[in-house]
Amino acid sequence: MPTAAKIETKDLHLWYRTFHALKGIHLAIPSRGITAIIGPSGCGKSTLLRTFNRMNDLIPGARVGGDVLLDGASIYRDALSLTQLRKRVGMVFQRPNPFPLSVYENVAYGPKIHGMNDLHGRVRRSLEQTGLWSELGDRWHVSALSLPPEQQQRLCISRLLAVEPEVLLMDEPCSALDPIATARIEELMIALKSTYTIVIVTHNMQQAARVSDYAAYMLLGELVEFAETDKVFTQPADSRTEEYISGRFG
């Protein structure tokens, strides 16, 4: 496994008031690949994902112990604003959440906020990366809310790509999609992984096996195992991982 980590957690803990949701997580996510976080419902997968761009800061009563590093720098203690962090580390949610604006304005929104130049070029490149530019033709001025769910989800990914992030966080990005739409999103993830570090939370082990290079298995707020996906699925080092993978637990 590569030694250089894009994201690294060091003894990471998180509490929601009195509930201890993450317990001493040590994890190093390699750059430019897909890492899947798997485990049963309520094990802390999404909570861990949200620590990578400090989305948990929005939850009243949430507090963090330990640290999260991005390219070796603390996202809590070093001079990195939330705006800078979330430009570098973007997030795609479980259900598509386009703005009630045109397709073009959705993608242009982030570059405008950040004062980035060549707006039209950025929008076009981002839509091309997700395959929407050719699909929509001259319809990129239609309302984003008029698109089917799968195109809406790709639009949300385009919206992230327009601000040139380094990391894409995806929280169950296919759970609201049918199998054909899911396959399109999975193909897109695989196409993007040579340029971006992608971290995906999924309850679908088949999806994790199909798309990810590395897999992290979580249970009850603890990181049980992290390794290359093939190894986790075929030669797990921990009996708890084997029980989950084989369907005897979770």
Side-chain angles (χ1 to χ4, degrees), residues 25 31 36-37 95 107 116 118 158 179-180 218 228 241:
I25 306 291
S31 180
I37 305 174
R95 292 186 177 277
V107 182
M116 303 171 89
D118 186 22
S158 295
I180 294 174
M218 293 190 66
E228 293 180 354
T241 310

Side-chain angles (χ1 to χ4, degrees), residues 119-177:
L119 206 59
H120 184 76
R122 287 179 183 279
V123 171
R124 176 165 184 159
R125 284 193 298 273
S126 300
L127 290 171
E128 284 176 341
Q129 282 181 282
T130 60
L132 285 175
W133 185 266
S134 59
E135 285 181 24
L136 294 177
D138 60 358
R139 294 176 55 244
W140 33 268
H141 287 301
V142 302
S143 168
L145 302 180
S146 70
L147 301 180
E150 183 264 341
Q151 286 190 334
Q152 287 189 14
Q153 192 67 301
R154 284 193 282 143
L155 175 62
C156 292
I157 296 171
S158 295
R159 194 170 64 193
L160 289 183
L161 301 183
V163 298
E164 300 180 353
E166 300 161 33
V167 180
L168 304 179
L169 307 178
M170 299 186 172
D171 192 358
E172 301 275 13
C174 302
S175 65
L177 305 178

